[in-house]
Amino acid sequence: MKVAFISDIHGNAVALDAVLKDIETREVDKIFVLGDLCFRGPEPSRSLEIIRFLDCDVIKGNADEWLVRGINKGEVPDTALEIMNLEREWSLRQLDSQALEYLSGLPTELKFEYGKVKIFAFHATPDSLFEIVQPTENEDILEEKFMENEADIYIYAHIHKPYIRYIKGKSVINTGSVGLPFDGLTKASYALVDIGDKGFQLSNVRVEYDLNKVIKQFQESDYPNKELLMNILSSGKV
């Protein structure tokens, strides 16, 4: 059983197309989406349409929550609050009421089992859409944040930095970001779990996509914070 976890598309439909094409070549059995579907990218509507067409399990991310109810003071740096709300308003103009209803109704976690392998997936932490848990966190912190629910594999997204760690016999994997990576590579990222009769294998997959096309989409748009987003896309860093 091959299972792919994609997340943090952030309205980058070009990167999403490339990731789904790569997944198809790997004969993946099932896809799960861990949130942040369409905010902060040039194609929010098409990104959401692609995800909904997949007819797969999807959970909510912080950016999806922001689109639904706005960005509150304290959730981003004060200096970024005004411009990010302008970005939200731009994204909302590209979406209809059905899209917002869909985002509002998304669950916040996934629990399932393949054979003897239990998987627990969430966007940031089981208790928060916003909390940041970095790859370098102390093992005790990862155990405290993630492992209240019993599972063999804990999968999350949110930080845009793919990694894999093993803690007290448990596996933690971050998907990285399809549309807006922060780890210095400009390739899209997703997580792959290959479950066999006697165990499982985890991997982070990187996929090239037409970055120049996405940059051009921003350049030709009236997106209110496009210079910042283009810089992040071009460098793979915040």
Side-chain angles (χ1 to χ4, degrees), residues 1 116 195-200:
M1 169 70 73
K116 297 181 180 179
I195 303 172
D197 294 334
K198 297 182 179 180
F200 58 84

Side-chain angles (χ1 to χ4, degrees), residues 2 19 97 101 146 148 166 168 233:
K2 285 186 180 180
V19 164
S97 59
E101 184 178 353
F146 294 165
E148 181 178 342
Y166 302 97
K168 298 183 179 180
L233 286 167

Side-chain angles (χ1 to χ4, degrees), residues 113-134:
E113 189 171 344
Y114 290 114
K116 297 181 180 179
V117 179
K118 294 180 180 179
I119 299 175
F120 184 26
F122 40 88
H123 182 71
T125 72
D127 299 321
S128 171
L129 296 176
F130 301 93
E131 191 168 1
I132 295 173
V133 180
Q134 297 287 9

Side-chain angles (χ1 to χ4, degrees), residues 63-123:
D64 308 310
E65 181 73 0
W66 280 338
L67 278 177
V68 171
R69 53 86 161 157
I71 305 169
N72 295 331
K73 185 176 176 62
E75 292 176 343
V76 298
D78 288 346
T79 54
L81 184 60
E82 181 179 357
I83 189 63
M84 286 189 67
N85 270 311
L86 289 176
E87 291 180 62
R88 174 181 178 264
E89 291 171 10
W90 184 92
S91 299
L92 289 176
R93 291 196 293 271
Q94 321 304 315
L95 301 170
D96 59 23
S97 59
Q98 289 184 336
L100 290 180
E101 184 178 353
Y102 172 81
L103 294 175
S104 178
L106 290 175
T108 58
E109 63 180 38
L110 292 166
K111 297 178 183 177
F112 47 93
E113 189 171 344
Y114 290 114
K116 297 181 180 179
V117 179
K118 294 180 180 179
I119 299 175
F120 184 26
F122 40 88
H123 182 71

